[in-house]
Amino acid sequence: MRKMICLHGFTPEQQEQVRAIAAPPEWEVVFGKASEIDPQHFRDAEVVCGWSSNVVKETLHSQSKLRWVQGWSAGVDKLPLEKLEQHGVLLTNASGVHPKQMSETAFALLLGLTRNIHQAVRNQQARHWDPSGSYGEIHGKIIAIIGAGEIGVEIARLSKAFGMRVLGVRRSGKPAEFVDHMVDLNGLNGVLAQSDIVVNVLPSTDETKWLFDEARFDQFKQGACFINVGRGATVKTDALVAALQDGRVASAGLDVFEAEPLPEDHPLWTLGNVILTPHIGGATDRYNERAVSLFLDNLTFYLNGQLNEMINRVDYKKNY
């Protein structure tokens, strides 16, 4: 009997959908939290949907039966990619589940900073009426989307509703819908110099680590706003703090950080031109619904032997 483990809160209806595709007696499907599942199930598992340290501990050994892991997030930087590749494990991620909520998070941060909502909330907590401050608008601005994949293109689509000119940066440099001008990473500095708003949606890879460092922030247009909903490791935090303190970057909306949780004594907490959210950009009450739908599609491909048709196959050489 082949075995599959599904770790992420499948409803009874979703469990039946999985069993309808991977039917007994050929398949045994185990649902539950990793901490509550017998380790023997992990040792016998061919497929794991979701992730847990138990996957490494119990499956990645010389007699491993593991053949496919369906990740539950778009990023895979926290998974042991080298070990998975060594064992020939097919890895797919949940890219495509995030564009709606991630784009809303990016705009929530951007609009909050532009309309000075963050200061109004602080004043509300202090019961202090103060209409003074700087109030901008985003209509007609130039926005740069760094990492113009599915999330980036959705941000671009929404940007058009605000009448913005959209510049994009992606590894391939290939054009994308709603993006007025696209370049590859070699054109990044030129894009930064033109842009009023810079939105980072890049994954964490060897190529993107600390891409935004001191030299990069020096390329920003004076008064630009920086939004990071990609990965914290793409930004050299000390360089960002310095740029925010000396005005090279006017404001920042940050959902991700190099160190998470952000240390209590970190200067980002107290900067008045920053909005912080605790890495919740991908959170939504629709997440499991979308992720399970993706998994069911991939499960059908997997069982039919159509591995090349599976959605979001991770390239171990690129780490995404």
Side-chain angles (χ1 to χ4, degrees):
M1 180 180 290
R2 302 164 78 181
K3 186 167 292 186
M4 179 189 314
I5 297 175
C6 298
L7 296 175
H8 288 282
F10 284 64
T11 66
E13 293 79 10
Q14 290 167 341
Q15 292 182 24
E16 288 306 310
Q17 289 177 302
V18 174
R19 290 193 177 102
I21 299 172
E26 182 181 0
W27 281 91
E28 178 185 1
V29 186
V30 179
F31 296 91
K33 297 179 179 179
S35 59
E36 299 171 356
I37 293 176
D38 186 333
Q40 185 61 48
H41 287 310
F42 282 98
R43 289 191 282 272
D44 294 338
E46 176 181 338
V47 174
V48 174
C49 178
W51 187 252
S52 161
S53 59
N54 294 50
V55 179
V56 182
K57 180 180 177 183
E58 303 294 346
T59 66
L60 297 181
H61 49 73
S62 59
Q63 304 300 316
S64 176
K65 299 179 181 179
L66 188 63
R67 293 294 173 265
W68 170 36
V69 171
Q70 171 66 60
W72 212 244
S73 66
V76 294
D77 47 296
K78 297 187 184 301
L79 276 65
L81 300 180
E82 186 174 342
K83 286 187 177 180
L84 289 168
E85 183 179 19
Q86 286 173 353
H87 284 82
V89 177
L90 172 65
L91 176 61
T92 53
N93 65 25
S95 179
V97 173
H98 303 81
K100 289 183 173 62
Q101 66 268 33
M102 292 291 288
S103 60
E104 290 181 10
T105 297
F107 270 92
L109 293 168
L110 174 56
L111 290 168
L113 290 164
T114 304
R115 300 303 304 159
N116 213 21
I117 302 299
H118 58 307
Q119 189 57 54
V121 171
R122 292 164 184 159
N123 288 340
Q124 178 183 348
Q125 292 173 330
R127 302 189 182 194
H128 176 58
W129 182 276
D130 183 6
S132 65
S134 176
Y135 297 89
E137 55 186 59
I138 64 175
H139 283 77
K141 299 291 188 181
I142 298 175
I143 185 170
I145 299 168
I146 318 303
E150 291 186 71
I151 295 170
V153 169
E154 179 63 11
I155 294 171
R157 186 184 72 83
L158 296 178
S159 298
K160 285 300 181 183
F162 287 93
M164 286 193 274
R165 174 170 167 76
V166 181
L167 306 180
V169 178
R170 67 196 312 181
R171 192 173 186 221
S172 68
K174 293 180 180 178
E177 190 176 12
F178 308 114
V179 178
D180 296 299
H181 180 63
M182 184 78 76
V183 299
D184 62 20
L185 282 171
N186 292 321
L188 175 57
N189 285 350
V191 165
L192 296 178
Q194 301 176 62
S195 302
D196 304 295
I197 301 150
V198 177
V199 182
N200 177 34
V201 205
L202 288 169
S204 177
T205 69
D206 292 341
E207 187 179 19
T208 64
K209 181 175 174 58
W210 284 359
L211 186 70
F212 289 92
D213 58 9
E214 293 91 343
R216 199 74 68 186
F217 286 119
D218 282 341
Q219 302 300 317
F220 272 49
K221 181 178 180 180
Q222 188 68 34
C225 173
F226 179 62
I227 305 293
N228 190 10
V229 291
R231 280 292 185 265
T234 62
V235 177
K236 194 170 186 179
T237 308
D238 291 347
L240 174 60
V241 170
L244 287 163
Q245 289 174 331
D246 66 20
R248 281 175 293 158
V249 176
S251 59
L254 309 172
D255 184 55
V256 291
F257 308 88
E258 277 189 273
E260 295 182 3
L262 190 67
E264 291 183 7
D265 60 351
H266 200 282
L268 281 173
W269 287 111
T270 57
L271 290 179
N273 53 347
V274 174
I275 296 179
L276 309 180
T277 51
H279 202 150
I280 47 77
T284 171
D285 55 4
R286 301 285 304 280
Y287 196 99
N288 272 23
E289 172 190 336
R290 294 171 185 155
V292 170
S293 177
L294 171 65
F295 172 59
L296 293 175
D297 287 342
N298 269 345
L299 181 57
T300 300
F301 286 130
Y302 181 81
L303 295 186
N304 289 336
Q306 298 172 284
L307 302 188
N308 290 332
E309 301 298 320
M310 293 178 70
I311 305 163
N312 300 337
R313 288 185 55 152
V314 171
D315 185 333
Y316 286 110
K317 292 182 175 60
K318 296 179 181 177
N319 291 355
Y320 65 86

